[in-house]
Amino acid sequence: MNRQTRFAHRNELALARLYSQLPPRFPNAVWRKVVSMRRVPDTLSEAVQAYWQAHPLRADRLARALAAQTGAPDGWSWTLDIDRRDGLPTHFRTPPAPYREAAHWRGHGVCCVCGQPVYRYGWHRDIWGDGRPSRRATWHQACVTAWKFWTAPHANAVLLKKRQRLRCAVTRKRLLRGAQVDHKVPLFQVWREHRHEPWPDLLAFWGIPNLQVVTREAHTIKCAGEAGGRAKARRAAVEHASIAP
Ligand SMILES: [Zn+2]
């Protein structure tokens, strides 16, 4: 049996095993993904994970919608561990997530990103009628993908480029190899000017509403403008401090 045949045989066995484990009402979209995969996953949880990994934009939207159902905990506000550099906090790149903080963590069975119950296979709805959340899970599979998307959007550059029909969001020029994924409102500015906005609306700054792909040249010009803005803000802060009583 050559390598290719062995691989095909392995896939057949894996598919048969998954099919035998399939509960009633398994999401059709996930099963369609399973049968189309080059390497069939070993478990149904891995199948759900693979489905969301293939749909990061959908995961982004869903995670924000789930978080909107929960809302922020009473009295919570977005704060940072202050580790000052150039007069700015350094951790504003991490999306605000109150339910990941020890003070608001809701325990097992609740997603630490959106605060909603986690069900079988890390799914976000109890479509199996289990009547209770998972005893161990602390993330929805969708929220894992959304979190990765929010914290490393450049990893999905190909998808984001396609969404813009391969045109730069600023210059409309064709996007070539050096194109960059960019936050329309830079994250330092989100922290500086928007941090008191309600959660989870804030998460949109990490998601698709605030992401664009631009040419390398457009990105360089935009970054230079942002750096100038930051320097101006720092000078204004110093002048303000020096004239304050
Ligand atoms: Zn979640």
Side-chain angles (χ1 to χ4, degrees), residues 85-88 192 227 229-239:
R85 189 178 63 187
D86 294 335
L88 289 170
R192 207 165 62 193
R230 278 204 296 269
K232 204 171 157 187
R234 278 198 296 274
R235 276 199 304 278
V238 169
E239 280 163 22

Side-chain angles (χ1 to χ4, degrees), residues 62-63 66-67 110-118 122 124 138-144:
L62 177 64
L66 291 169
V110 177
C111 177
C112 63
V113 173
C114 68
Q116 289 288 305
V118 185
H124 52 284
T138 52
W139 292 73
H140 290 122
Q141 296 274 18
C143 291
V144 171

Side-chain angles (χ1 to χ4, degrees), residues 17-28 30-31 43-45 47-48 120-121 123 127-130:
R17 195 171 51 243
L18 284 188
Y19 189 74
S20 71
Q21 297 166 355
L22 210 55
R25 298 189 295 277
F26 192 74
N28 276 337
V30 177
W31 187 250
T43 66
L44 291 172
S45 289
V48 171
R120 220 191 281 192
Y121 313 119
W123 203 249
I127 51 181
W128 299 277
D130 288 342

Side-chain angles (χ1 to χ4, degrees), residues 78 185-197 202 205 229 233:
W78 183 21
V185 179
L187 296 179
F188 77 86
Q189 197 177 329
V190 173
W191 167 254
R192 207 165 62 193
E193 296 173 14
H194 300 275
R195 68 175 176 266
H196 299 301
E197 288 181 17
L202 271 172
F205 286 110

Side-chain angles (χ1 to χ4, degrees), residues 67-81:
Q69 285 176 25
T70 317
D74 285 343
W76 177 86
S77 64
W78 183 21
T79 50
L80 299 176
D81 283 335

